[in-house]
Amino acid sequence: MEPKYIFVTGGVVSSLGKGIISASLACLLKARGYRVTIQKYDPYINIDPGTLNPYEHGECYVTTDGRETDLDLGHYERFTNVCTTKANNVTTGRIYQNVIDKERRGDYLGKTVQIIPHITDEIKRNIMLLGNTGDYDFIITEIGGTVGDIESLPFLEAVRQLSWEMEGNSICMHLTYVPFLHAAKELKTKPTQHSVKKLQELGIQPDILILRTEHDIPAGMRRKIAQFCNVAPNAVFQSIDLPSIYEVPVAMHAQHLDEVVLGKLGVNPEGEPHMTPWMNFLDKMHSAKQTVTIGLVGKYVELQDAYKSINEALFQAATYCDRKLDLRYIHSEKVNNANAAELLKEMDGVIVAPGFGQRGIEGKFAALKWCRENDIPTFGICLGMQCMVIEFARDVLGLTNANSTEMDPSTPNNVIDLMDEQKSISNMGGTMRLGAYECKLEPESIAGKAYGKTIVSERHRHRFEFNSDYRQRYEQAGMKCTGENPKTHLVEIVEVPSLRWFMGTQYHPEYTSTVLNPNPLFLSFMKAAIDYQAERTNQQPTN
Ligand code: GLN
């Protein structure tokens, strides 16, 4: 079958959840046996979101082939179990960079280089790349931003041209918002009509409308929207707020979104998607009664999107362990040795988050010290692992001034140090150790047992590493290196086997955790937290 293209745009407001709707549709098409991928076009000038502060754009997600990308790619992978690559996220900045590079090479043969046709052609070329591989039946392309923004105009023009060129092999799905005015007690359709008009002015007629809403939209109102927006009545769907994003595919299937999409693309919509494993996950999610309490120590706690993949990996693991997740955010800047017990005493397990720079670092040490001394299941990820190593040096090895050269370039005990390959790098963008690398595990370690194999591949995003000059001292004192890169021997995992579950990973296991394939380390950590909770509650009389 020739690849089919589904373009997804958004109107009225941002943060409508285009990523979740795209991922849900992909999930349904995949469950029907099709090969699906989702790509995101972001209209900002940064080459990629790697240099963006998490306060600006939430978490930076990393693909196996080492691209720093938008957090929506995390949703795509979690919903579809299909790996994304660098082709799945393209920004305005990258498009312009490609065009300018071509201009400097002389590729345009003396022509004036312009937004139309050169920028739009470059967008079109990129949009087609995944389809041209022959690996996919459906390519869902999400256009970031909101219709009406100046910056997304070239992308929408590219979509218009492609829709015209593809004749029947593409559709446009537009998400809008239907607000409820509390004073009038009324749902309002006018913003939707205006945003569709805006799209039509640009030459794009949406084939499908998805109405985001907090209240049920009556059939008559949906029909009115269909009529005024020139869309078939059966192609107007509502996406009502749900307790969990993982219920969205089911809610969309209940309204026949997947069938209507297939029908519009000339594909036989008969049959049902095979959703049994997904439904089993939802059943577990709905029937969980007991709670597990996990503390996440980090400096971006005001913005939960900053730790999106960790939140989702924890949620998946808790669900598979038949628990509701009670995730408590603990601001690392507020933790110290005096209050760590008070802040952490209710936790069944503690995660120390990734990050960059000095802010909040002492709080991470204080939290780790308390967790280590009180034998709390503890998981350090990337900077969290590095903090684990530093805290252990200061408190157990007696190297009181131990540090990472990231925080103190002149520390005499650089137990975490800049990687050799990083020493000559001065540019910030895209230059970290990024993407998937193999890790060889100690079979008898907690990590080895959790994965049940000795070689795993996980994704990275860092410049600093465990300084192997200290490895022997750590091992003698009880912190073992239980995972390393098989080629370079870079330390990937540390564990303290005398404690119930105390592990740090240089890599980010959260990036590979999906609904149907939860990450083994998160599962293992969650089981340890639940065991610890049981032990603790048995000890304390409940009266
Ligand atoms: N700042 C640390 C480094 O660059 C850790 C990075 C991270 O947590 N992703 O090595």
Side-chain angles (χ1 to χ4, degrees), residues 82 116 213 219 337 368 472:
V82 176
I116 315 264
T213 175
N337 286 333
L368 283 164
Q472 223 180 356

Side-chain angles (χ1 to χ4, degrees), residues 476-496:
Q476 273 161 5
M479 182 176 266
K480 307 280 181 203
C481 302
T482 59
E484 63 171 34
N485 181 289
K487 293 197 187 96
T488 63
H489 305 292
L490 178 148
V491 172
E492 292 279 11
I493 309 178
V494 294
E495 288 181 40
V496 177

Side-chain angles (χ1 to χ4, degrees), residues 354-356 382-383 386 406 461-464 508:
F356 297 83
C382 206
L383 181 64
Q386 297 175 355
E406 179 180 4
R461 184 174 186 240
H462 65 117
R463 292 186 204 283
F464 295 82
H508 291 257

